[in-house]
């Protein structure tokens, strides 16, 4: 096996990970060695795409609202070597994920639902359709193993990181250089390939983030198709701590799609009095009390269809299962306001107010959007009893995964100890707890020889 000098790797990784670079070199070495074992010696291009934590703004993105995520220094590595023809061979450093192959083109048949390669197929199909020069066939190895990788199913967006890593790699190797925001948007559409009507937040966070900053994103494009983003510096006195409940629900895509449907139902019903609206974002400046009376507590897709409300295409929606229309719309309406208030609080360095907003966002996600779990509720309420904690909330889609805690720098150690002990006593589980070291967006890392 060819030795890549540690000093070479360190020089490449320092601009990406800063003080965390030394801890990354062994992981890169391992990935490069695995690539050489799988595909033989020769050139290799290295790419990375980070996971993200969302500070606030949950389930607002597909309603054209506001979000405030930050990329993590936990990322997925994708190693690629061009090969003759159009075949893509995929391998994963984790044996759980079997090898796969497909032919590059504008219409790539999916593997069975749930297969990891679908994230890469969706991205490949998108790049093949968009790039002026078709991307080359590739031999690929994916390395995303935790703890340095993005934990899977934890609401930290490992799946979107996979899509983005593949898109970045193929675009780079095809010589296609779209604007980052445009690539992010296309990646979000590409992820629909796997069967979820998801939003754009994760792909924007993975591509446009900046070290030590959160990314404010207005999820509605302007008339020219551009998205408004702003990099928001983290407060110097506080840290974001991410706590993984260890409970990951794989089978939540149906629930996610039902929330999308509830929001679309709200829009359909409100259009009777506000015919120009297309998304919940459009009613943000109307008092909630004026909207509430037009929205039923529950309605089934079948009821809504009878009333002429078109929910559009949503995979796997059961026509008879009730949607909680009013509560879901209320969450989105209040959450959008909270994101903007959080920006103001951070700009004024009013951390207590930012913390209160996180607390309210959790209550709204739990009670109105109904996406929390007893374990997430326990982590949030326990964290909020620790001195120095400003606020906490679940982060990501919900139904398990992580909470994020805004905590004074000097209280980080106490928070970790107290939370780990309380959670273990309550559930018998040890939570993974780590600091959010907000890192830069996805991109090529280097071209080397192994
Ligand atoms: P995660 O937590 O990665 O499953 C999902 C969506 C986001 C956003 C959040 C909820 C995808 C790829 N990701 O994120 O767009 O809607 O839920 O805020 O659909």
């Amino acid at each position: 096996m060819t030795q890549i000098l540690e000093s070479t790797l360190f020089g490449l990784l320092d601009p990406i990970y800063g003080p965390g670079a030394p801890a990354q070199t062994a992981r890169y070495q391992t990935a490069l060695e695995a690539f050489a074992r799988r595909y033989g010696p020769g050139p290799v291009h290295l790419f990375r795409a980070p996971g993200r934590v969302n500070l606030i703004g949950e389930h607002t993105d597909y309603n054209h609202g506001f979000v405030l995520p930050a990329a993590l220094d936990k990322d997925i590595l994708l190693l690629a070597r061009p090969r003759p023809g159009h075949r893509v061979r995929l391998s994963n450093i984790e044996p759980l994920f079997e090898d796969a192959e497909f032919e590059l083109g504008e219409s790539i048949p999916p593997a069975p639902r749930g297969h990891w390669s679908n994230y890469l197929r969706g991205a490949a199909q998108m790049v093949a359709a968009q790039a002026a020069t078709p991307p080359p066939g590739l031999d690929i190895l994916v390395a995303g193993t935790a703890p340095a990788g993005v934990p899977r199913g934890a609401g930290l967006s490992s799946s979107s990181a996979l899509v983005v890593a593949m898109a970045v790699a193929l675009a780079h190797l095809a010589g296609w250089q779209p604007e980052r925001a445009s690539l992010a948007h296309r990646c979000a559409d590409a992820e629909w390939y796997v069967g979820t009507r998801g939003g754009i937040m994760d792909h924007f966070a993975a591509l446009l983030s900046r070290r030590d900053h959160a990314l404010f994103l207005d999820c509605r494009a302007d008339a020219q198709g551009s998205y408004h983003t702003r990099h928001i510096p983290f407060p110097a006195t506080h840290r974001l701590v991410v706590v993984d409940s260890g409970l990951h629900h794989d089978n939540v895509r149906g629930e996610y799609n039902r929330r999308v449907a509830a929001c679309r139902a709200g829009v359909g019903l409100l259009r009777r009095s506000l015919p120009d609206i297309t998304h919940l974002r459009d009613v943000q400046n109307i008092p909630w009390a004026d909207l509430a009376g037009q929205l039923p507590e529950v309605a089934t897709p079948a009821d809504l269809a009878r009333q002429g409300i078109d929910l559009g295409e949503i995979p796997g929606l059961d026509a008879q299962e009730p949607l909680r229309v009013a509560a879901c719309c209320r969450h989105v309406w209040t959450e959008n306001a909270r994101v903007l208030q959080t920006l103001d609080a951070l700009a004024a360095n009013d951390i207590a107010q930012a913390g209160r907003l996180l607390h309210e966002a959790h209550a709204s996600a739990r009670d109105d959007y109904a996406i929390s779990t007893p374990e997430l509720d326990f982590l949030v309420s326990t964290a909020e009893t620790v001195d120095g904690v400003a606020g906490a909330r679940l982060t990501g889609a919900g139904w398990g995964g992580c909470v994020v805690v805004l905590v004074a720098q000097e209280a980080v150690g106490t928070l970790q100890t107290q939370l780990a002990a309380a959670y273990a006593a309550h559930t018998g589980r040890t939570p993974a707890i780590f600091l959010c070291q907000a890192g830069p967006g996805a991109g090529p890392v280097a071209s080397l020889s192994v």
Side-chain angles (χ1 to χ4, degrees):
M1 157 65 213
T2 319
Q3 274 294 316
I4 304 288
L5 284 181
E6 246 186 76
S7 59
T8 311
L9 271 180
F10 183 77
L12 295 168
L13 303 185
D14 186 50
I16 301 171
Y17 303 101
Q24 295 280 346
T25 49
R27 168 185 183 230
Y28 274 76
Q29 279 277 8
T30 304
L32 289 161
E33 283 169 17
F35 188 91
R37 268 198 310 278
R38 172 71 179 81
Y39 297 115
V44 57
H45 303 276
L46 251 168
F47 303 87
R48 64 174 281 282
R52 61 98 186 100
V53 61
N54 191 18
L55 182 55
I56 193 164
E58 224 60 86
H59 292 273
T60 46
D61 57 353
Y62 50 83
N63 291 297
H64 281 192
F66 309 115
V67 293
L68 190 59
L72 298 169
D73 62 349
K74 294 182 180 299
D75 52 18
I76 285 180
L77 309 183
L78 187 147
L79 291 75
R81 176 186 294 159
R83 65 196 308 277
H86 299 291
R87 196 121 194 105
V88 172
R89 297 195 293 176
L90 296 174
S91 199
N92 197 307
I93 206 159
E94 292 179 80
L96 181 66
F97 300 109
E98 63 184 9
D99 286 0
E101 294 193 16
F102 59 86
E103 206 66 25
L104 264 175
E106 294 187 21
S107 175
I108 299 172
R113 207 177 160 85
H115 197 278
W116 74 284
S117 70
N118 282 338
Y119 294 97
L120 299 131
R121 290 170 197 253
Q125 182 175 283
M126 180 274 287
V127 177
Q130 302 291 332
T133 317
L138 289 174
D139 285 338
I140 288 179
L141 177 83
V142 170
T145 322
V150 190
R152 277 191 307 280
L156 301 177
S157 217
S158 59
S159 55
S160 301
L162 202 48
V163 173
V164 168
M166 182 67 165
V168 163
L170 283 171
H172 183 85
L173 296 169
W176 178 43
Q177 296 178 317
E179 277 189 15
R180 287 198 155 234
S182 145
L183 185 60
H185 192 250
R186 290 172 201 280
C187 283
D189 286 351
E191 194 163 333
W192 290 10
Y193 184 93
V194 306
T196 314
R197 287 291 166 266
I200 63 173
M201 159 166 70
D202 303 346
H203 315 84
F204 272 79
L207 276 156
L208 277 89
S209 286
R210 187 181 286 172
R211 177 113 66 93
D212 298 330
H213 288 71
L215 178 77
F216 169 71
L217 167 67
D218 180 341
C219 299
R220 164 160 288 169
D222 65 18
Q224 284 71 45
S226 303
Y227 287 90
H228 172 65
T229 57
R230 201 154 24 114
H231 291 101
I232 309 292
F234 279 144
T237 51
H238 283 68
R239 302 301 304 266
L240 285 183
V241 170
V242 181
V243 187
D244 188 346
S245 68
L247 293 161
H248 302 164
H249 301 288
D250 291 333
N251 212 1
V252 299
R253 285 314 174 189
E255 284 297 322
Y256 186 100
N257 286 353
R258 278 158 42 71
R259 300 304 185 279
V260 175
C263 295
R264 289 190 188 172
V267 172
L269 292 160
L270 292 170
R271 275 166 73 97
R272 291 171 171 167
S273 61
L274 301 161
D276 293 336
I277 68 167
T278 59
H279 292 81
L280 286 176
R281 157 66 174 279
D282 296 312
V283 297
Q284 203 56 48
N285 294 327
I286 300 177
W288 175 252
D290 295 353
L291 305 171
Q294 303 175 51
L295 300 172
E297 281 307 317
V298 290
T300 63
D303 296 335
L304 291 157
R306 274 192 293 276
Q307 296 173 51
I309 306 293
D310 177 15
L311 298 180
E313 197 228 320
I314 299 182
L317 197 63
D318 179 339
Q320 302 306 333
E321 223 180 309
L323 305 171
R324 296 173 65 246
V325 178
C328 285
C329 293
R330 183 168 53 216
H331 165 76
V332 174
W333 191 91
T334 56
E335 184 80 347
N336 275 325
R338 280 187 291 270
V339 177
L340 299 182
Q341 289 163 14
T342 304
L343 289 186
D344 291 343
L346 291 177
N349 208 23
D350 186 349
I351 306 300
Q353 168 67 353
R356 272 192 294 277
L357 291 161
L358 297 194
H359 175 87
E360 286 170 18
H362 183 75
S364 177
R366 179 191 62 213
D367 302 336
D368 276 352
Y369 226 59
I371 55 172
S372 192
T373 64
E375 294 80 11
L376 295 174
D377 293 342
F378 179 83
L379 285 171
V380 166
S381 56
T382 308
E384 288 183 340
T385 63
V386 175
D387 275 351
V389 168
R393 58 177 285 274
L394 68 80
T395 184
W399 301 285
C402 294
V403 305
V404 60
V405 187
L406 181 62
V407 54
Q409 174 84 48
E410 62 277 9
V412 167
T414 318
L415 170 70
Q416 285 179 316
T417 320
Q418 291 192 8
L419 208 49
Y423 193 65
H426 189 69
T427 64
R429 293 171 175 275
T430 308
I433 303 182
F434 59 90
L435 278 178
C436 166
Q437 317 268 14
V445 177
S447 298
L448 302 164
S449 212
V450 289

